[in-house]
Amino acid sequence: MESLLTDIDHVAIAVHDLDAAVAWYAETMGAKVVHREDVVSDGVREALIRVGDSYIQLLTPTRADSTVAAFLERRGEGLHHVGYRVANCSEALDAVRASGARVIDEVPRPGSRATTIAFVHPTTSFGTLIELVEESVSTSSTHQ
Ligand code: CO
């Protein structure tokens, strides 16, 4: 079978203090934020740092009932999920589900940067929360 995964889109890291994390990457790695966004539906604020064709996604909760708030409480700061780029999120989600993996999103939904995304549950993926990311045509052509 051909790989569903075309690239690593982002590595997401949950942090308590987004500005402190952004400053750390700038001062320690010289890495700059290229995009910031509040994902209101998920109760998170993100700052994206470009690394090659991929991103580090620094993630902090904006409300107490956010899943990232629960993660920070349970596990502390650190790696939260890996976003893999796929050509077609809907097809990739169907294929992953058909293979027996447990999914969180039954249908794809909007993500940040006008992407289309779906999450795969960590229980069937060796403890890693996986996000399938389909870029919009405009972002994939220009890599904003
Ligand atoms: Co993500």
Side-chain angles (χ1 to χ4, degrees):
M1 128 188 215
E2 207 170 311
S3 177
L4 296 170
L5 314 178
T6 62
D7 217 332
I8 292 181
D9 185 76
H10 61 276
V11 171
I13 299 167
V15 301
H16 288 296
D17 183 337
L18 193 63
D19 290 338
V22 165
W24 188 89
Y25 270 94
E27 288 158 17
T28 311
M29 308 293 184
K32 307 276 190 312
V33 168
V34 294
H35 182 81
R36 286 175 182 268
E37 189 166 336
D38 277 23
V39 183
V40 176
S41 55
D42 290 344
V44 297
R45 176 168 299 148
E46 70 174 39
L48 290 179
I49 293 168
R50 180 171 266 306
V51 181
D53 274 344
S54 308
Y55 301 96
I56 301 163
Q57 180 188 65
L58 301 170
L59 207 52
T60 203
T62 53
R63 48 172 208 261
D65 65 351
S66 156
T67 57
V68 175
F71 176 91
L72 284 169
E73 189 133 316
R74 200 171 61 248
R75 306 264 297 267
E77 292 180 304
L79 188 63
H80 183 265
H81 66 270
V82 179
Y84 294 118
R85 242 168 247 152
V86 297
N88 182 305
C89 190
S90 179
E91 288 176 13
L93 181 64
D94 285 347
V96 165
R97 188 173 28 214
S99 79
R102 183 175 165 201
V103 300
I104 293 174
D105 295 301
E106 290 298 333
V107 291
R109 60 188 178 89
S112 66
R113 290 174 292 136
T115 56
T116 302
I117 60 131
F119 279 95
V120 178
H121 201 280
T123 52
T124 52
S125 51
F126 303 90
T128 305
L129 176 60
I130 290 174
E131 181 180 0
L132 305 171
V133 182
E134 177 186 339
E135 292 187 295
S136 67
V137 172
S138 61
T139 56
S140 62
S141 59
T142 58
H143 272 294
Q144 293 286 323

